[in-house]
Amino acid sequence: MKNIYKVASVLLAVILLFTGCSSASKTPSADASESADGAAEAATRIVTDVLGREVEIPTKINSIICNGPGTLRLVCYARGYDLVVGVEDVVNSYLSSIACPYGYAFHDYFKDLPSIGKGGARSNTAYEEEIITLQPDVILSSYSSDAIDELSRKTGIPVVCVTQCETGLFSKDVEDSLTLIGEIIGTQARCAELISYMEDAEKDLNARTKDIPDENKPRAYSGAITFGGGHGIGGTSANFGPFTAINAINVADETDEDGCFVVDMEKIVTWNPDVIFLDPNNMELVNEEYSKNPEYFNSLSAVRNGEVYSMPSYVMYCTNTELAIIDTYYAGMIMFPEQFADIDIEAKADEVLTMFDGKALYADMKETGLSYGKITIGE
């Protein structure tokens, strides 16, 4: 009888052992979660950033930090603003300005968030200790590979490069960055919609103007451009996005420059453009130049003929694409009125701003003087 009890005890232990093993195999590991269909879902995944770096990030992203120029803007475009848990000082300095539409539109989400760095285009100025305290799931950055690797090492948080601070218009870098951000935060459909909208705008602008002979095009100049701060009439740009997109003749393209630069004012007299566009943000500088030398300005045909127009700057902590697109349609209206006869700039501005920032903001722009229309230099 004792032997029977011993055998029964051994059998019971074996049954419990295998039952325990069976139960453990059904319990998700600490490194995985269970999806709706019961399948185990990995806790992390690998993404490849715009620098080609493979970065391991959490599968589910609940919080992010944007580090460097242009990053927060793209996150707002991607509708991930509510995931942001801290912002840079430079962002807080202009968030409430309509000159930065995405910051203006989503100001209420950011105004009370803690600072995570100084920001700026020249170097990474992140506050590592503050970022560690906030413990975001991922940091999105636009700085160099070395700076990104250092930030990840110091904080222990994955850092993904999503943009390299483009300053053009209809940049593939922007599309690639939006696609990546959508993949990271789960707003792929929104990002695909915005990319499609930008591609359609690019095609539309080109189609309206591509067949216009050069001899029928006015020679254009964009002055008082904002880059690295405000400039007078000499602040200009070669390969200027809004002009390039509508196949316009930009007199500054005759130089060896590429992008923004300050041209000698006498060169503008030599060019003597037919039409001039100026950033209203910098009209105080232009008017100061006028007060010192009105004869100079009056020697320009565009000034004498009343062909000077407002074009709000689209560069503020990298390219604000919505403003660049509006600028382009307005430039088309002025230089090619027949091809753009169907465009009402106020309606187009609100359409573009709503698509990018979720709000029709043109009335707010007008209230602060950032509108489109003729300019009288010296007033």
Side-chain angles (χ1 to χ4, degrees):
M1 183 66 72
K2 290 181 179 179
N3 289 335
I4 292 175
Y5 283 127
K6 288 180 179 179
V7 171
S9 297
V10 171
L11 289 174
L12 179 60
V14 171
I15 291 170
L16 290 173
L17 175 63
F18 279 96
T19 301
C21 290
S22 177
S23 299
S25 67
K26 294 180 180 179
T27 303
S29 71
D31 295 329
S33 59
E34 192 169 294
S35 62
D37 60 3
E41 184 178 85
T44 63
R45 55 192 163 122
I46 302 293
V47 297
T48 302
D49 70 11
V50 299
L51 296 178
R53 300 163 60 256
E54 291 189 343
V55 185
E56 185 176 9
I57 65 171
T59 298
K60 176 64 175 175
I61 300 297
N62 296 305
S63 59
I64 60 177
I65 276 175
C66 299
N67 169 241
T71 310
L72 180 62
R73 172 176 53 85
L74 293 181
V75 166
C76 288
Y77 290 171
R79 295 300 184 266
Y81 52 86
D82 54 342
L83 300 178
V84 177
V85 294
V87 295
E88 296 170 317
D89 295 340
V90 69
V91 174
N92 267 326
S93 70
Y94 62 69
L95 273 179
S96 60
S97 170
I98 189 60
C100 181
Y102 75 90
Y104 185 85
F106 303 115
H107 178 238
D108 288 345
Y109 289 92
F110 304 135
K111 62 182 181 180
D112 297 322
L113 293 181
S115 170
I116 52 87
K118 291 181 180 179
R122 299 187 183 280
S123 62
N124 178 24
T125 56
Y127 301 149
E128 289 94 354
E129 292 184 2
E130 183 63 38
I131 293 174
I132 292 170
T133 300
L134 293 171
Q135 279 297 299
D137 292 324
V138 66
I139 300 170
L140 305 180
S141 181
S142 61
Y143 288 117
S144 67
S145 180
D146 289 344
I148 288 172
D149 289 340
E150 181 181 14
L151 182 60
S152 182
R153 178 178 57 80
K154 287 184 176 180
T155 62
I157 298 167
V159 184
V160 177
C161 185
V162 296
T163 176
Q164 288 293 285
C165 189
E166 79 303 327
T167 56
L169 176 59
F170 301 127
S171 164
K172 188 177 184 302
D173 290 343
V174 170
E175 294 186 2
D176 291 345
S177 293
L178 282 170
T179 299
L180 177 58
I181 291 171
E183 177 188 348
I184 290 171
I185 66 176
T187 60
Q188 294 94 327
R190 158 62 189 170
C191 291
E193 175 191 32
L194 188 57
I195 290 170
S196 177
Y197 183 86
M198 289 189 291
E199 290 175 344
D200 288 346
E202 182 177 19
K203 292 175 184 176
D204 177 49
L205 289 160
N206 179 62
R208 290 172 184 266
T209 57
K210 63 184 177 64
D211 296 325
I212 302 174
D214 281 353
E215 58 267 26
N216 294 339
K217 297 176 182 178
R219 300 172 69 254
Y221 175 79
S222 181
I225 289 180
T226 297
F227 60 95
H231 298 277
I233 195 170
T236 192
S237 176
N239 298 314
F240 185 52
F243 290 174
T244 301
I246 55 173
N247 304 291
I249 297 176
N250 179 7
V251 294
D253 288 346
E254 298 176 11
T255 68
D256 294 328
E257 302 287 345
D258 184 17
C260 298
F261 65 104
V262 177
V263 68
D264 187 285
M265 291 176 63
E266 291 306 316
K267 186 64 176 177
I268 305 172
V269 175
T270 302
W271 287 331
N272 199 23
D274 301 302
V275 59
I276 293 175
F277 296 89
L278 300 175
D279 179 2
N281 280 307
N282 294 322
M283 284 309 298
E284 184 175 344
L285 296 174
V286 175
N287 289 335
E288 182 179 345
E289 292 172 335
Y290 178 87
S291 67
K292 294 177 180 178
N293 190 359
E295 293 79 11
Y296 166 82
F297 286 89
N298 292 328
S299 71
L300 298 171
S301 296
V303 174
R304 293 198 310 271
N305 297 332
E307 294 296 322
V308 181
Y309 298 89
S310 170
M311 180 178 282
S313 173
Y314 59 80
V315 177
M316 179 176 285
Y317 214 32
C318 287
T319 297
N320 292 286
T321 307
E322 64 275 65
L323 290 182
I325 292 175
I326 301 167
D327 284 355
T328 307
Y329 273 96
Y330 184 66
M333 290 173 59
I334 298 305
M335 289 190 275
F336 312 113
E338 181 180 342
Q339 288 76 11
F340 287 82
D342 61 313
I343 299 297
D344 175 275
I345 194 59
E346 296 196 11
K348 174 57 72 172
D350 275 338
E351 172 201 307
V352 176
L353 290 162
T354 299
M355 171 55 68
F356 279 82
D357 304 312
K359 296 180 180 180
L361 299 171
Y362 187 62
D364 298 55
M365 288 178 61
K366 288 177 67 176
E367 283 185 8
T368 61
L370 297 183
S371 59
Y372 297 88
K374 284 195 173 187
I375 287 178
T376 300
I377 298 175
E379 287 189 349

